[in-house]
Amino acid sequence: MSRTLADIRDQVVDDLDLQDDDSITTADLNRWINDAIESAESQIHTLYEDYFLARYEYTLVPNGRELDYPADIYASKVRKLLFKESLTSPNTAAHEVKREKNLIEAEGRDIYEYQSATPTLTWIGTNDASSGRKIRLYPQQARAGILVMFYIRNANRLVDDTDICDIDEFERYIIQFTKTQAYFKHGDPRTEESKGLEEQLKNDMIDTLSNRTPDNNDEITMDVSHYNDMVGSE
C-alpha cells in the first residue's frame, strides 16, 4: 500500500528514535526522502521506463497548432500520439499521429492543406526561449477531435505531508537511503552498515526492474487495438 510523506518520515523517526533529536529537522528528512525517490526514479527510467507509462487527453480545436506537454512528463518522452474524432462514437475516424521527419514538407502542409477538413496529423517537439517546450501539430489548423498521448512521466516528488509515494514497491530502499543520511549526519558508526543494506535494496530494485524488461527492448509494443479497430479511412 502506498504511503504518504508523513508515513515514510515517521517510520524513519521511530526506527532511529529521532523524536527528541533537534539536529535532524523535518526539512532534512523530507529532502533525503526526495533524494531517494530521485535515485530510484533514475534506475526505473534506465531499466524499465514503462513503469511510469501515463496517458493524457487533449481536446483539439481548429487552429490549435501548439499544445503544452503534460506537466509531469519526463524528458519530453512521448511514446505514442493517437487522434480520434470522438472517444464515444463507434465509427469515428482515427489515426496514429506520427513524428514529422521532413520539416520542409511539414511547413508546406501548413500552406497547401490549410483548407483540408480532415488532414492526417503529424507532430514535432519544439523548445524555444519564449514559450518553452511545445507539441507542434501539422498542418497548423489541425482539426477538431481528441488527441491521446501515451508518455513517460516523472515519479511524484513529496512536498506536502499527504503527498503519496507512487513507487511503493521500492519504499524500503527509500527509507533505508534516508536512514543512511541521518546516520551520516550524526557521524554514527552504523552508517556503513546502513549503506550496505541500502545498496542491497538498490540491487534488489535493479533485479526486479531488469526482470520486467521485454526481450526485445529496442521497441516496446503497445496495445492500441482499441484504436486500430475503429480507424476509419481519411
Side-chain angles (χ1 to χ4, degrees):
M1 179 178 177
S2 298
R3 292 191 285 178
T4 65
L5 173 60
D7 293 334
I8 296 171
R9 189 179 63 238
D10 288 347
Q11 179 170 343
V12 174
V13 169
D14 290 342
D15 289 352
L16 302 187
D17 295 322
L18 299 177
Q19 291 86 349
D20 300 319
D21 189 333
D22 295 333
S23 66
I24 293 179
T25 66
T26 296
D28 287 333
L29 293 169
N30 290 350
R31 183 176 69 256
W32 296 333
I33 290 168
N34 280 289
D35 286 346
I37 289 172
E38 184 174 351
S39 173
E41 178 189 56
S42 176
Q43 295 297 330
I44 293 169
H45 281 306
T46 299
L47 296 170
Y48 189 72
E49 65 179 8
D50 270 26
Y51 188 98
F52 290 122
L53 184 64
R55 183 181 185 278
Y56 189 83
E57 289 181 11
Y58 300 88
T59 299
L60 299 184
V61 296
N63 298 311
R65 62 186 292 177
E66 288 186 337
L67 304 170
D68 292 324
Y69 284 93
D72 62 349
I73 194 170
Y74 174 80
S76 301
K77 284 199 170 184
V78 176
R79 181 59 58 80
K80 289 283 185 180
L81 286 175
L82 301 163
F83 171 81
K84 286 180 63 67
E85 287 184 339
S86 169
L87 289 176
T88 56
S89 299
N91 296 315
T92 187
H95 67 263
E96 179 181 350
V97 181
K98 295 183 178 180
R99 192 185 296 267
E100 186 60 66
K101 296 180 179 179
N102 190 320
L103 295 182
I104 302 300
E105 289 184 4
E107 291 292 325
R109 293 182 65 205
D110 279 349
I111 300 171
Y112 298 113
E113 295 187 35
Y114 189 80
Q115 299 299 324
S116 174
T118 58
T120 297
L121 302 179
T122 58
W123 73 282
I124 63 169
T126 62
N127 187 0
D128 62 54
S130 59
S131 57
R133 295 182 300 167
K134 297 286 184 181
I135 296 286
R136 168 63 157 92
L137 296 176
Y138 290 97
Q140 66 177 344
Q141 92 282 10
R143 58 192 292 190
I146 305 297
L147 187 69
V148 179
M149 175 189 286
F150 293 94
Y151 68 99
I152 306 302
R153 66 172 178 84
N154 288 300
N156 288 344
R157 296 302 187 268
L158 310 185
V159 178
D160 298 323
D161 282 355
T162 55
D163 288 347
I164 293 175
C165 177
D166 61 351
I167 48 176
D168 49 297
E169 292 173 275
F170 308 124
E171 280 180 2
R172 289 184 62 203
Y173 168 73
I174 293 168
I175 290 168
Q176 196 62 43
F177 180 106
T178 307
K179 289 180 180 180
T180 300
Q181 299 304 310
Y183 282 135
F184 180 78
K185 184 170 184 178
H186 276 163
D188 194 300
R190 290 172 291 182
T191 300
E192 288 304 314
E193 180 182 353
S194 179
K195 184 65 176 177
L197 179 54
E198 175 193 326
E199 288 298 317
Q200 178 183 329
L201 291 170
K202 181 177 181 179
N203 289 333
D204 290 345
M205 175 176 62
I206 291 171
D207 288 342
T208 299
L209 293 167
S210 298
N211 289 334
R212 291 184 182 182
T213 304
D215 293 336
N216 178 14
N217 57 15
D218 290 329
E219 181 176 351
I220 299 174
T221 302
M222 179 181 298
D223 181 8
V224 294
S225 57
H226 173 72
Y227 295 93
N228 292 337
D229 289 344
M230 293 187 285
V231 170
S233 59
E234 296 294 330

